[in-house]
Amino acid sequence: MIIVFIIYLILLIWLFEFIDIYGDPSLDRDLNQNITVVIDQINNLNDLFLTMDSIKSQNYNLNNINLIILDTSTEDVQSLVDNYKHIFLEINVIKVTDINRIDILHRIESLCSNYILLIESGVSIPRSFISTITKYLDGSSLSTIFLPLFYRYKNQYHIFYQLYHCFIESIRCSLINKNFSLSNKNVVLKKEVFLDFINGKHENLGGQYLVTPDLCLYKNRDSHLDISSNINIIHIIYAVINFLFIFALLQFLALPNQYFLFIIIIKIIPELCFIYTFYNRLQIKFPKFDYMIFSMVGPFYSIIEFIYNQILVKK
């Protein structure tokens, strides 16, 4: 068992890769670029309005922002967003079905500006977000920038789940910065690479995952479980590691010895580095005491989430 955790430790050490944008001279320039914001996965109209209000509050010329809303709901979204039409350059509502996917992609491309932001409904962004991201895209050689997502739970008792999501997000960050593209959402890109990106052709796109407060996406959560039927390889591997960790933890509690203590330490410390760095880069206070408890109970949550989502997949 210890070989598995040593490999896990080595993997995390190799994987650790955070990049920020501080000190880039391009951020000192004022730009007036047009940008298109594509809002997807509309399951709740209140979430949609929260995202639109967040965009409306940007310290950026709103006449340079046009919105594309991919409507998967049963509501008349077009009439509901009419009050926002005078605020932005343009608002286009596209009804989405599985049948017209190719036509939709080409229509989105034809409506888009040079810069495209892909986000989910329910996400909010900092006031300086669009100003910062347009300056960085204009002044760098990157064509794609992946964005951090931070879950804000209303109930303080759900801090453990926030820590868990921060670890998963920090792993996603490092994988992307190691040239493993694992996401088609929460990203800003140049129009020239839009179709290649959407169709999964991520080779040589020049993408990075940047962790900084000005580029962070925030999402409020009311429940502790992140219910999703999309089980990817990260969650599967992490669930296996946590299953072994739980076994080692129970063995240590039953009969304390250095062998199981070493296993516990080599799992907790590298994960602490990932989570602490993620909080630190976003300039959010790291909950030290909560993490101490989370390091013991978090693996149980990971197993529960994995089993729960597997049940959803079978349904």
Side-chain angles (χ1 to χ4, degrees):
M1 183 190 297
I2 196 169
I3 299 299
V4 174
F5 283 94
I6 291 175
I7 294 172
Y8 179 65
L9 172 64
I10 294 171
L11 177 63
L12 290 185
I13 293 173
W14 170 80
L15 192 59
F16 190 85
E17 187 75 33
F18 285 82
I19 300 172
D20 60 32
I21 64 175
Y22 296 112
D24 192 285
S26 65
L27 298 182
D28 297 329
R29 296 181 291 120
D30 291 325
L31 293 178
N32 205 27
Q33 295 275 8
N34 285 356
I35 184 169
T36 298
V37 182
V38 180
I39 305 174
D40 197 4
Q41 297 190 11
I42 302 171
N43 299 316
N44 183 299
L45 289 179
N46 289 329
D47 286 345
L48 173 62
F49 295 140
L50 183 149
T51 299
M52 295 180 70
D53 287 338
S54 174
I55 299 169
K56 185 177 70 173
S57 67
Q58 293 294 293
N59 57 1
Y60 196 77
N61 186 355
L62 299 182
N63 289 322
N64 291 111
I65 303 174
N66 70 298
L67 305 183
I68 297 178
I69 300 172
L70 302 183
D71 181 14
T72 55
S73 71
T74 57
E75 304 286 343
D76 184 8
V77 174
Q78 181 71 64
S79 61
L80 292 172
V81 300
D82 278 346
N83 291 334
Y84 290 86
K85 283 195 171 180
H86 69 283
I87 299 174
F88 300 104
L89 175 64
E90 190 177 7
I91 298 180
N92 293 280
V93 178
I94 302 177
K95 205 71 178 176
V96 177
T97 66
D98 293 334
I99 299 174
N100 63 349
R101 180 180 179 275
I102 296 177
D103 292 337
I104 288 174
L105 291 178
H106 286 287
R107 185 181 174 193
I108 292 173
E109 186 187 33
S110 67
L111 294 170
C112 282
S113 310
N114 288 333
Y115 299 147
I116 306 169
L117 171 63
L118 304 177
I119 57 175
E120 293 181 355
S121 176
V123 163
S124 59
I125 58 180
R127 292 188 70 248
S128 60
F129 178 92
I130 291 180
S131 174
T132 302
I133 200 68
T134 52
K135 290 175 184 177
Y136 193 73
L137 276 174
D138 184 75
S140 73
S141 60
L142 296 176
S143 58
T144 310
I145 296 177
F146 296 89
L147 307 165
L149 177 64
F150 187 83
Y151 286 99
R152 295 185 292 201
Y153 287 90
K154 296 180 180 179
N155 191 331
Q156 182 61 28
Y157 293 109
H158 293 159
I159 185 66
F160 297 151
Y161 309 110
Q162 183 186 90
L163 287 164
Y164 171 78
H165 288 299
C166 284
F167 177 66
I168 296 299
E169 192 68 16
S170 65
I171 291 293
R172 174 175 168 261
C173 162
S174 295
L175 284 168
I176 290 172
N177 287 335
K178 289 288 187 180
N179 297 319
F180 294 94
S181 296
L182 299 173
S183 178
N184 284 334
K185 62 181 180 180
N186 301 334
V187 61
V188 62
L189 61 156
K190 294 180 179 178
K191 183 176 181 178
E192 62 203 51
V193 300
F194 174 73
L195 285 181
D196 284 342
F197 179 82
I198 293 299
N199 290 320
K201 300 177 181 178
H202 296 171
E203 299 84 1
N204 302 318
L205 286 186
Q208 287 182 350
Y209 185 117
L210 301 179
V211 184
T212 175
D214 290 337
L215 298 184
C216 185
L217 307 177
Y218 297 91
K219 197 165 189 177
N220 296 326
R221 304 288 296 188
D222 294 319
S223 60
H224 58 277
L225 279 175
D226 182 24
I227 301 173
S228 171
S229 59
N230 182 23
I231 299 296
N232 59 38
I233 190 64
I234 297 176
H235 290 83
I236 294 173
I237 294 174
Y238 195 50
V240 172
I241 292 294
N242 280 321
F243 181 81
L244 295 175
F245 176 81
I246 291 171
F247 176 80
L249 179 63
L250 295 176
Q251 289 294 318
F252 178 77
L253 294 175
L255 186 63
N257 61 66
Q258 293 180 348
Y259 176 80
F260 290 112
L261 177 61
F262 182 68
I263 288 176
I264 293 170
I265 291 173
I266 63 175
K267 178 182 184 294
I268 290 176
I269 291 179
E271 291 184 0
L272 169 62
C273 294
F274 272 83
I275 298 174
Y276 176 80
T277 303
F278 193 76
Y279 271 85
N280 187 53
R281 290 297 180 91
L282 295 180
Q283 298 180 12
I284 298 172
K285 184 179 179 181
F286 179 70
K288 302 180 185 68
F289 178 75
D290 293 316
Y291 178 79
M292 292 174 62
I293 303 175
F294 166 78
S295 62
M296 297 295 134
V297 303
F300 292 92
Y301 168 68
S302 172
I303 299 296
I304 292 171
E305 184 193 44
F306 179 76
I307 294 173
Y308 192 92
N309 281 310
Q310 284 291 78
I311 293 172
L312 288 181
V313 170
K314 291 180 179 178
K315 288 182 178 180

